[in-house]
Amino acid sequence: MTIRYPNGKVYKPSGEMKSENKLKRQDKKLSFSNRGKTLEDEINDTNIYYLNKQIAVIHKKPVPIQIVKVEYPKRSAAVIREAYFRTASTTDYNGVWNGYYIDFEAKETESKTSFPLKNMHPHQIKHMEDVTLQNGIAFTIVRFSKLDRYFVLPYTVLMSAWKEMESGGSKSIPLKVFESSTMEITPGFNPRIDYLSAIEKMIIEKE
Amino acid sequence: MTIRYPNGKVYKPSGEMKSENKLKRQDKKLSFSNRGKTLEDEINDTNIYYLNKQIAVIHKKPVPIQIVKVEYPKRSAAVIREAYFRTASTTDYNGVWNGYYIDFEAKETESKTSFPLKNMHPHQIKHMEDVTLQNGIAFTIVRFSKLDRYFVLPYTVLMSAWKEMESGGSKSIPLKVFESSTMEITPGFNPRIDYLSAIEKMIIEKE
């Protein structure tokens, strides 16, 4: 679909073009090694792939900022001169896939044996609970960086662990629980982290 | 649902509390006059109402910022010292309602007779097209400020007008089209702009 500006000029989605360039650069990098890439980079690449292939429309939300002071220099762009980071009230990623509302957080851990629950913020748990009540699909993508293993942790499994912790239980989710009760993702070339395939399997199993 | 931190402390969602305070303040204001409230304020109030009543989970996305310079003063929060506003690649609001993915933009016009299409950016049209292809619900809430009238403009109606403009037609959508082909919202006390009721009617009519 070609989209034009009101003045007739053809619109070129800069985000997509940038993404393609970015992908090219990163493909090169990938062919040598994946070290140094953050989970966020990997998920962003995956989301660009999903968008360009019309598989899903999922974006990372911008970092919330409290802006205090802005300067407006003549003949150039406004400059923010004082601002502070705020705590997000939701998870970082959301969007739509085949009619499903998708909502997730991405977390990395250096641990080789378990995922510490201190990685999650209560406001994220609250948000995922709210999303689940509205029949959205909420989960966390967890990367065990030292093991190079990736898991899709459904909110229900996270919630059980959180509840257990609240009543004095373990403050982390053992790798064994990930192996038995979540979905492992094998990282690929493109898409890098095909988390929607894992979600699809989960949905099919439920039905 | 009570949610606790890993250290056992009960989590109080600050956003919700703030919202309640904000609502109280604004209710007071509302009882005198609604002048001076922006459409964004009205939609935020509505979204807080939806969230607290567990009707829907819909949030405004943070403004995207390109951060260039950050200072880390000792014993106090990081300060952003140079940053620039970026163009958003999506619409401003999204979330989930009863299993439906909801995605929209909010626009005000001073015109009393039509909604100029220059209010919309091609990247927003592209995004709403993508969302629609994924079976999400995309629309624009338009406020004719001088008339104090509010409409839910479905993406399909917007797209027709946009296509017409691209082939040399009108660069705005007449108020008459809003009256005949979109859903008008009567602003209320709480929720202020009950756009989900309009969407619900639209869905029922389709089925």
Side-chain angles (χ1 to χ4, degrees):
Chain A
M1 182 196 180
T2 308
I3 296 167
R4 287 172 189 278
Y5 284 91
N7 68 10
K9 222 179 95 188
V10 172
Y11 163 69
K12 286 181 189 168
S14 62
E16 247 177 58
M17 288 195 304
K18 263 186 224 150
S19 314
E20 279 165 23
N21 289 340
K22 208 180 161 193
L23 272 177
K24 266 182 215 157
R25 260 207 330 273
Q26 291 177 341
D27 286 351
K28 211 172 170 181
K29 209 168 142 198
L30 263 176
S31 66
F32 292 101
S33 161
N34 188 45
R35 275 169 212 277
K37 268 205 155 183
T38 63
L39 179 58
E40 183 180 323
D41 285 338
E42 294 181 299
I43 292 174
N44 286 346
D45 287 355
T46 305
N47 289 342
I48 288 164
Y49 175 89
Y50 287 154
L51 186 64
N52 289 345
K53 296 278 180 189
Q54 298 198 335
I55 293 168
V57 183
I58 295 165
H59 290 274
K60 184 174 190 293
K61 292 186 188 174
V63 177
I65 300 287
Q66 179 72 44
I67 297 171
V68 176
K69 198 175 139 196
V70 183
E71 283 175 10
Y72 300 90
K74 276 184 190 170
R75 276 181 286 277
S76 57
V79 191
I80 297 162
R81 285 296 180 198
E82 186 184 349
Y84 299 89
F85 295 100
R86 287 190 302 139
T87 307
S89 52
T90 65
T91 49
D92 274 356
Y93 301 86
N94 77 350
V96 61
W97 162 64
N98 196 19
Y100 292 106
Y101 174 78
I102 300 294
D103 193 299
F104 65 98
E105 192 60 35
K107 297 287 182 190
E108 295 186 73
T109 179
E110 297 284 307
S111 165
K112 291 177 181 177
T113 53
S114 70
F115 174 66
L117 288 170
K118 65 166 191 253
N119 277 292
M120 303 302 300
H121 297 283
H123 68 261
Q124 294 169 334
I125 303 287
K126 161 83 167 69
H127 175 72
M128 288 196 256
E129 174 79 19
D130 290 340
V131 163
T132 305
L133 287 171
Q134 289 300 324
N135 293 315
I137 299 175
F139 55 93
T140 305
I141 298 179
V142 177
R143 173 182 172 180
F144 286 82
S145 304
K146 294 265 191 279
L147 308 175
D148 215 13
R149 292 179 73 179
Y150 301 76
F151 297 90
V152 170
L153 170 65
Y155 171 66
T156 48
V157 178
L158 172 62
M159 190 194 57
S160 302
W162 195 274
K163 288 276 138 203
E164 256 185 61
M165 176 195 73
E166 286 182 330
S167 47
S170 173
K171 289 182 182 178
S172 62
I173 305 177
L175 181 60
K176 278 185 186 170
V177 171
F178 279 90
E179 289 171 338
S180 66
S181 311
T182 77
M183 293 149 292
E184 185 158 5
I185 311 169
T186 309
F189 179 68
N190 208 3
R192 177 70 190 149
I193 306 292
D194 191 7
Y195 60 88
L196 288 179
S197 293
I199 294 295
E200 194 167 25
K201 270 182 210 159
M202 192 185 74
I203 291 171
I204 289 167
E205 276 169 23
K206 267 192 187 168
E207 285 169 355
Chain B
M1 182 194 180
T2 308
I3 297 168
R4 284 171 192 279
Y5 285 91
N7 66 12
K9 221 179 93 187
V10 171
Y11 163 69
K12 287 182 187 166
S14 61
E16 246 178 59
M17 288 196 302
K18 263 186 224 151
S19 314
E20 279 165 22
N21 289 340
K22 208 181 162 193
L23 272 179
K24 267 181 214 157
R25 258 205 334 272
Q26 290 177 341
D27 286 351
K28 212 172 169 182
K29 209 168 142 198
L30 264 176
S31 65
F32 292 101
S33 161
N34 189 45
R35 275 168 212 276
K37 269 204 154 183
T38 63
L39 178 58
E40 183 181 324
D41 286 338
E42 294 182 298
I43 291 174
N44 286 346
D45 287 354
T46 304
N47 288 343
I48 288 163
Y49 175 89
Y50 287 154
L51 186 63
N52 289 345
K53 296 278 179 189
Q54 299 198 333
I55 293 168
V57 183
I58 295 165
H59 290 274
K60 184 175 189 292
K61 293 187 187 172
V63 177
I65 299 288
Q66 180 73 45
I67 297 171
V68 176
K69 197 175 141 198
V70 183
E71 283 175 10
Y72 299 90
K74 275 184 189 168
R75 276 181 286 276
S76 57
V79 192
I80 297 161
R81 286 295 181 198
E82 187 185 351
Y84 299 89
F85 294 100
R86 287 191 300 139
T87 306
S89 51
T90 65
T91 49
D92 274 356
Y93 301 85
N94 77 350
V96 60
W97 162 65
N98 196 20
Y100 293 107
Y101 173 77
I102 300 293
D103 195 300
F104 65 98
E105 192 59 35
K107 297 288 182 190
E108 295 186 74
T109 179
E110 297 283 307
S111 166
K112 292 178 180 175
T113 53
S114 70
F115 175 66
L117 287 170
K118 65 167 191 252
N119 278 292
M120 303 302 299
H121 298 283
H123 67 263
Q124 294 169 333
I125 303 287
K126 162 83 168 68
H127 176 72
M128 288 196 256
E129 174 80 18
D130 290 341
V131 162
T132 305
L133 288 170
Q134 289 299 324
N135 292 315
I137 298 174
F139 54 93
T140 305
I141 298 178
V142 177
R143 173 182 171 180
F144 286 82
S145 304
K146 294 264 191 280
L147 307 175
D148 215 13
R149 293 180 74 178
Y150 301 75
F151 297 90
V152 170
L153 170 66
Y155 171 66
T156 48
V157 178
L158 173 62
M159 189 193 58
S160 302
W162 195 273
K163 288 277 137 202
E164 257 187 59
M165 177 195 72
E166 285 182 330
S167 46
S170 173
K171 290 183 182 178
S172 63
I173 304 177
L175 180 60
K176 276 185 187 170
V177 171
F178 279 89
E179 290 171 336
S180 66
S181 310
T182 77
M183 293 150 293
E184 185 157 6
I185 310 169
T186 309
F189 179 66
N190 208 1
R192 176 70 189 150
I193 305 293
D194 191 7
Y195 61 88
L196 288 178
S197 293
I199 294 296
E200 195 167 25
K201 269 183 212 159
M202 192 185 74
I203 291 169
I204 290 169
E205 277 168 25
K206 267 192 187 168
E207 286 168 356

